[in-house]
Amino acid sequence: MHPLDVVAEKSARIRALRQSGLLARTAREEFGHLTDHVRDVLDVPVAIVTLVDEERQVFAGHSGLPAPWADLGETPMTHSFCQYVVDQHAPLVVPDARLDPALKDNQAIGDIGVVAYLGVPLALPDGEIVGALAAIDNDARTWSDADMRRLRSIGRTVEKEMDVRISESRWRTLFESLQEGFIQGRVVRDDAGRIVDWRYEEVNAAWYELVGVPKGSAIGRTIREVFPGIEDEWVNEFANVVETGETVRFTRQVGVLDRWYDGVAQSIGADRFTVIFLEVTNRIAHERRQAALLQLGDTLRDARTVPDISRAAAQCVASGLVVDRVGFGSVDELSETIEVPPDWCASGIVSVAGHHDFRSFGSYIENLKRGETVEVTDVETDPRTAASPGAFEAIQTRSLLNLPIMEHGRLVLIVFAHARTPRVWSTDELQFLRQVGDRAHAAIARIRSEETQAVLNGELSHRLKNSFAMVQAVATQTLKTVTERGAVEALNQRLRALSHAHDVLMQQNWSAARLRDVVNAVLHVFEVGDRFVLMGRDTDIGPRATLSLSLLLHELATNALKYGALSVPEGHVEIEWNIQRQEGEDIFHLAWRELGGPAPSQPTGRGFGSRIIRMGLIGTGGVKLSYEPEGFQATMSASLSQMQQA
């Protein structure tokens, strides 16, 4: 074989041996029972199982080996006969090493007493020869064919044992390299057979990391011994797995560790079970914060004052962070003071409700004035707070977060979170606090915008009313010589109806109006008490429909007051509306029914009022008029989408 091929082959063998994991298991008991068997069968004083590494041979099993080699568990190559078995891939038969030209200088002869040697190769499952099983005699000996057959037979058993140990080693390596924690446990029963605890039989390295327990401190102990005060669910659920054989998935907190875990438990029989799990504390905390932010969004939609917003933000922070105190306070930036209403405190923590001077607690007020979130890991070491240890000790605070709420560039409120012990605020926690601040600022901006819009709407409404009043005055002055005063009064009333419709629309920024508000605004000017009966679910209608409906109702009510049900004391009017699905479209229906009045008669002419009525809800018709003996009726229909069109 070419020398380079020899080197490559040796390198492959060494690599295979080291990857097998056998070198890490070198105690005598690994194969000691088989070397004892070799000594008995071949009647030799020494038997060994060796693994030949690059510069040494390691005893994976030995029997009768003299000191100090038995304790060392290995020899250098200067003391190895087995290396020749491995190199030649063949048995080695040596009757007397002292007479063998290739072996007579081997130091194993003098130091270990190797005179006669019989060795057979040992192969890994993939065929790599990595060691030898050898019988050694301290005297010269002629080895028989029967000796060779017996040694080969035992060698095959050694190879099977090697295969088992390699599999175990690989599984053990995989087991220990798992990022997930692993537990094999056995339940503990009381005298009545009830499961009251369970004992750790096996855990992997990741388990210790995930629960923060010193390595080697769990095996043989029960969970209640390892974690005093742990929740009963950690016993009861695994007891149920053992009793029922059902696999269980769980997400649960270990309260004494303040950590959450997500895992699977299953029974393996004989009162045993296994658990594989991961720590999910950060995930649970993130989900809790997201839920808190969603709740904050819902709350802020209904908030109408800045203190309401601050209170909601503080409640959100309390839900999203595990801290000892959460609250908010209104700030007087000029005097650098804060007034704190009753706050939320953990058990044993004092409240900080009341009046406080920021400077009593350090200099971080300067950061807050600039709108900067203040995070302090430890008040005793932070340069902004280190000079005020007594003030923080009095309120049991070592770490804090302060979220400034600004308005028009000025600090007006603070949302705060305090912890009684030093802590590093995580990136996720700080991001959460910033999100709370962003939502609070947006809500305040919305309130201020609504307040500004309300002022503008009020001013615009006032000017529109003045404009309508001026139009009425001009019309009255212009038409003062008209002899038909009823027509003049009708014009004024129609202008008032339009004015009321504008008022209703102004309340919704001219985007929509509530139907019931429109109807009430038009009809209340007729001052007939409760003789209008309204029936129907309230809904929004657009500006165009608002103006059309206002004029239409005004004309109908005017006619009812002059000629119809409202012209007599016992009469009344029913106004009913609903929405029906017709041919894939929502249709709005409105009915006007006059009851208790004089029998109606169809008018002979058509004036302006009649034309308004026949134009319908949105000016496109869809009106049916009926002159029944019991009273006048009008039904109107229009597409709901057109009724709500901006």
Side-chain angles (χ1 to χ4, degrees), residues 538-558:
D538 207 3
T539 186
D540 285 336
I541 58 176
R544 177 185 174 189
T546 297
L547 297 176
S548 296
L549 181 62
S550 297
L551 288 175
L552 185 152
L553 291 175
H554 173 77
E555 296 302 327
L556 288 171
T558 299

Side-chain angles (χ1 to χ4, degrees), residues 22 39 44 68 81-82 96 106 139 175 183 208 221 232 270 275 279 306 325 371 391 470 485 529 540 544 548 588 617:
L22 292 172
R39 290 180 63 192
V44 292
F81 283 24
C82 294
D96 190 340
N106 193 292
D139 298 316
F175 177 69
I183 300 169
Y208 291 102
R221 301 172 66 197
D232 289 340
V275 181
E279 183 184 357
V306 174
R325 183 190 298 113
M470 185 174 293
R485 302 313 299 172
D540 285 336
R544 177 185 174 189
S548 296
F588 178 84
L617 295 168

